[in-house]
Amino acid sequence: MASQIIPESRAATFDLKGRMVTLTVLRLSSTDIETLVRQLDERMAAAPDLLRALPLVLDPQPVATELSASRLAALLVELRRRALVPIALRGAGEDLERLATETGLGILRQLADSPEPQRYDGSAPPAEVSSVPGRIVQQPVRSGQQIYARGGDLVVLSSVSPGAELLADGNIHVYGALRGRALAGVQGNTEARIFCQSLNAELIAIAGHYQVSEQIGEADRGRQVQIFLQGDSLYVAPLG
Amino acid sequence: MTRIIVVTSGKGGVGKTTTSAAFAAGLASAGRRTAVIDFDVGLRSLDLIMGCERRVVYDFINVINGEAALKQALIKDKRIPGLFILPASQTRDKDALTTEGVERVLDELSEEFDYIICDSPAGIERGAYLAMYFADEAIVVTNPEVSSVRDSDRVLGLLASKTRRAERGEPSVRERLLVTRYAPSRVGKGEMLSVEDVQEILAIELLGVIPESTTVLNASNSGMPVILEARSDAGQAYQDAVARFLGEEREHRFLTEKKGLFGRLFGGSSA
């Protein structure tokens, strides 16, 4: 999308700009709104601030044929009551058009999932890959500071003090000493990992599975490690 | 060009006011016109440490509220020319401080002084916030123990985000570390963090290390900035720190245990 400024004799009072953004998609796999809302509350109880005022795209595609506009409207009420901001529906088709018109939401037709990794065979130029740039922090992260990389990785080049908190939807990399908290995959990405040069964290967590400092083995302290999730267990493994 | 310095720490009782008084006296002794402001509204103590408590008529809050002119509230130090104290109000609380009021007072002081030292209260609330908000430089006072270091770390985070320089995207506040109440013998026994430990966590430039000393308490009780006690370790350490602050290179002293008489006789130089 290109930015567009409308020429006018007087100074423009606004301009329109296109921006690439990462959006959170709520994919509906059931029309049972009550259960959905209950499960959503459980998720939000774990991390209330993460979802506050979050613009949401709803993907009703899997259940679009059975979903009535009134059910969808009821869901929207519940979402807004929880300070979430549903902005659009994702997908295409008659059912979706109907739902969108009746609930006043927009439609995002082209919004794709993150593409599957593709192998480049050398013949054609590689397909355009959409990726979310990571957030890079140069300064030390001090006690009491909280940094959240929404939608991507978080890279900290300095150290992270006790009482500081790092959050990322993707991986977390810390190139100084990690002495605070690091929570990767906070939106539930179980593939997320934490990499650090010197592990002295107060707490490490991936997709909600956490360990406090006390549970981290003495042998892993102060070392270069990666932390990942396998099943329901966090593993700390030396790097290199 | 006036420089505004905040002396801050987060934690209470680590030596902010002692340091503010020492730096104010040290800078003024070096010929710089210096004003030192007590931001600890409601719990004022700078006037005691500076020995001018019996000459307080008007205070910082009176000036902010327009009840007194700045000239009426500034107390001239009797020992050092070019040194002035602006005491806090004891009867009010930190809510009496306003951003506009503080800015106005600092602007007015800037017309006349080379350095303005803001003696921050403990905590990270309004008083501490306004003491650091307009700062160009920060002296972060830390005791060599974990809770003090953590609080200082928190304050460093605020200096990087909640100051006028940070909000305007100007060059950041110059942060320097002053470790106070340092007892090398206790570091040796593992009862205290070493300067290296503190520096590793806080990762800022070291301005000085002030040894634990009874002189500090005695000086405070008698209303004498400890830097004027030229024969004491603490006084000399503050003199070194002020000299470094003004750009002089000085080696760090008082980092190791003081040797006894025999050590001094046989061990060569000793501080």
Side-chain angles (χ1 to χ4, degrees):
Chain A
M1 281 180 275
S3 75
Q4 221 179 1
I5 298 171
I6 299 153
E8 265 212 349
S9 54
R10 284 163 297 164
T13 53
F14 64 89
D15 52 16
L16 290 168
K17 287 188 173 170
R19 284 281 180 273
M20 302 290 287
V21 291
T22 309
L23 288 167
T24 305
V25 176
L26 182 71
R27 201 173 162 88
L28 306 181
S29 44
S30 155
T31 56
D32 180 0
I33 304 298
E34 288 71 31
T35 313
L36 187 154
V37 167
R38 203 177 59 242
Q39 289 175 357
L40 185 68
D41 280 340
E42 286 166 13
R43 178 70 72 89
M44 288 183 73
D49 284 340
L50 289 183
L51 297 175
R52 183 164 299 147
L54 186 72
L56 268 189
V57 174
L58 304 188
D59 182 0
Q61 209 74 304
V63 294
T65 45
E66 310 136 54
L67 187 64
S68 70
S70 61
R71 301 288 293 162
L72 181 61
L75 174 61
L76 294 180
V77 169
E78 292 297 331
L79 292 177
R80 290 183 180 125
R81 186 175 291 163
R82 284 159 183 78
L84 293 164
V85 188
I87 52 170
L89 294 175
R90 168 182 143 176
E94 262 176 49
D95 291 313
L96 209 87
E97 304 257 345
R98 167 180 57 84
L99 289 171
T101 347
E102 289 185 32
T103 55
L105 291 175
I107 295 185
L108 291 167
R109 286 186 184 79
Q110 293 99 3
L111 187 69
D113 273 316
S114 308
E116 292 296 313
Q118 290 173 345
R119 273 189 63 194
Y120 177 46
D121 60 7
S123 56
E128 204 178 304
V129 178
S130 81
S131 87
V132 180
R135 183 163 171 194
I136 298 177
V137 177
Q138 311 255 13
Q139 300 299 319
V141 186
R142 305 286 185 183
S143 182
Q145 289 182 319
Q146 189 185 50
I147 296 182
Y148 176 31
R150 180 171 280 178
D153 288 2
L154 176 58
V155 180
V156 179
L157 298 173
S158 192
S159 57
V160 179
S161 294
E165 194 166 79
L166 305 179
L167 303 145
D169 290 344
N171 305 311
I172 293 177
H173 304 255
V174 181
Y175 292 97
L178 172 56
R179 302 191 182 98
R181 296 163 159 241
L183 296 86
V186 287
Q187 302 266 26
N189 179 3
T190 54
E191 297 296 309
R193 294 185 179 209
I194 300 167
F195 304 88
C196 64
Q197 292 295 311
S198 172
L199 175 66
N200 275 302
E202 293 174 320
L203 179 143
I204 46 176
I206 291 168
H209 299 268
Y210 68 89
Q211 272 187 10
V212 292
S213 175
E214 228 176 46
Q215 296 164 291
I216 300 170
E218 271 308 313
D220 296 318
R221 285 189 177 279
R223 300 190 56 192
Q224 279 185 22
V225 297
Q226 63 161 322
I227 297 145
F228 56 95
L229 195 63
Q230 223 165 56
D232 278 346
S233 308
L234 276 185
Y235 285 89
V236 179
L239 276 175
Chain B
M1 188 63 193
T2 308
R3 299 289 284 174
I4 300 174
I5 308 162
V6 60
V7 177
T8 182
S9 70
K11 194 171 162 63
V14 297
K16 284 182 296 296
T17 301
T18 300
T19 299
S20 298
F23 265 76
L27 290 170
S29 300
R32 311 300 202 278
R33 289 185 60 80
T34 304
V36 54
I37 308 177
D38 191 348
F39 272 78
D40 206 348
V41 180
L43 293 168
R44 79 173 181 217
S45 55
L46 182 68
D47 53 326
L48 288 170
I49 309 276
M50 296 291 293
C52 65
E53 74 278 8
R54 291 162 64 176
R55 292 192 285 143
V56 176
V57 182
Y58 294 108
D59 57 51
F60 192 18
I61 300 300
N62 291 141
V63 180
I64 285 179
N65 292 344
E67 296 150 5
L70 182 59
K71 281 202 160 50
Q72 292 176 291
L74 279 175
I75 303 172
K76 188 178 186 321
D77 188 84
K78 285 184 172 169
R79 293 157 296 212
I80 306 160
L83 175 58
F84 289 82
I85 298 112
L86 184 55
S89 167
Q90 184 68 354
T91 53
R92 307 292 295 273
D93 60 35
K94 298 333 183 245
D95 294 336
L97 292 169
T98 62
T99 311
E100 301 73 33
V102 172
E103 184 174 21
R104 213 176 52 239
V105 172
L106 291 175
D107 282 348
E108 204 177 330
L109 287 170
S110 296
E111 290 168 15
E112 205 172 320
F113 290 95
D114 300 317
Y115 287 101
I116 302 168
I117 297 178
C118 302
D119 181 20
S120 173
I124 51 173
E125 287 77 27
R126 190 171 188 80
Y129 163 73
L130 284 174
M132 73 168 67
Y133 185 72
F134 297 100
D136 301 306
E137 313 218 12
I139 298 174
V140 177
V141 182
T142 306
N143 287 168
E145 46 108 4
V146 284
S147 65
S148 176
V149 173
R150 178 180 292 186
D151 289 2
S152 293
D153 192 57
R154 178 89 167 92
V155 161
L156 285 166
L158 298 176
L159 283 167
S161 60
K162 293 287 165 73
T163 51
R164 182 166 69 174
R165 280 175 173 267
E167 285 177 5
R168 289 183 176 177
E170 294 170 356
S172 53
V173 178
R174 183 168 184 191
E175 303 153 339
R176 284 184 278 187
L177 173 67
L178 190 76
V179 179
T180 54
R181 308 198 65 168
Y182 195 65
S185 62
R186 298 186 60 196
V187 174
K189 286 183 212 154
E191 296 169 358
M192 242 183 208
L193 295 176
S194 70
V195 172
E196 293 76 31
D197 292 338
V198 177
Q199 256 198 299
E200 200 204 320
I201 297 172
L202 296 181
I204 57 170
E205 192 186 332
L206 181 66
L207 186 58
V209 179
I210 312 299
E212 173 90 297
S213 162
T214 49
T215 321
V216 176
L217 186 63
N218 294 338
S220 298
N221 287 339
S222 58
M224 175 92 155
V226 67
I227 195 167
L228 301 178
E229 303 280 359
R231 286 167 60 196
S232 73
D233 286 0
Q236 290 174 20
Y238 270 118
Q239 284 174 0
D240 285 357
V242 171
R244 281 185 209 107
F245 187 87
L246 291 171
E248 207 177 299
E249 296 254 343
R250 286 207 187 174
E251 212 174 312
H252 287 281
R253 300 190 275 169
F254 316 111
L255 295 180
T256 49
E257 206 169 339
K258 214 177 202 177
K259 291 167 187 150
L261 179 62
F262 279 96
R264 231 180 276 191
L265 285 174
F266 298 109
S269 67
S270 156

